[in-house]
Amino acid sequence: MFEEKKIRDLLLDEEKVEDLVRKYYSDIYKYCFFHLGNKETAQDITQDVFLKFLKSLDTYREYGKLKNYLYVVAKNTIKDFFRKRYETIDELETEIS
């Protein structure tokens, strides 16, 4: 319960948000780069991961380590990226034919 309150307090303190991003950014970026192989895309996805986390703080429940949760968000964000990319390719191929 204490950790949950601590996480929610992030919304009220900009410095705490910056500390959280600094603490986990490198690990999440490396994970994204490993799966994407592109520096710029990995940076964009990493930023999206932290934005998604901050937007969902009001519904976030602490069940394990925050870092693991961020990895799950990163995995899902990468899946969404590839899904959208392939949908766009399919649409272009349909238009061409």
Side-chain angles (χ1 to χ4, degrees), residues 3 7 20 23-24 28 53 60-73:
E3 286 297 315
I7 296 294
L20 175 108
K23 183 176 181 179
Y24 296 114
I28 300 303
F53 171 69
Y60 174 73
R61 300 288 179 255
E62 183 93 19
Y63 292 112
K65 294 182 180 180
L66 176 59
K67 186 176 179 180
N68 293 340
Y69 179 76
L70 291 172
Y71 279 126
V72 170
V73 174

Side-chain angles (χ1 to χ4, degrees), residues 10 13 17 19 30 36 43 47-48 50 55 58-61 66 72 76-77 81 85 89 91-93:
L10 281 175
D13 190 345
V17 171
D19 289 343
K30 288 175 190 174
L36 297 164
Q43 289 172 337
Q47 289 177 4
D48 286 345
F50 286 100
K55 286 180 183 178
D58 56 333
T59 59
Y60 174 73
R61 300 288 179 255
L66 176 59
V72 170
N76 291 334
T77 305
F81 169 78
R85 184 173 166 191
I89 290 171
E91 288 174 8
L92 288 174
E93 287 177 351

Side-chain angles (χ1 to χ4, degrees), residues 74-88:
K75 178 185 78 169
N76 291 334
T77 305
I78 291 167
K79 282 182 180 180
D80 290 343
F81 169 78
F82 281 120
R83 186 178 309 118
K84 288 176 188 173
R85 184 173 166 191
Y86 289 122
E87 286 173 2
T88 304

Side-chain angles (χ1 to χ4, degrees), residues 6-13 16-17 20 53 57:
K6 186 176 166 185
I7 296 294
R8 289 205 178 123
D9 287 344
L10 281 175
L11 286 174
L12 305 174
D13 190 345
K16 288 180 183 178
V17 171
L20 175 108
F53 171 69
L57 269 179

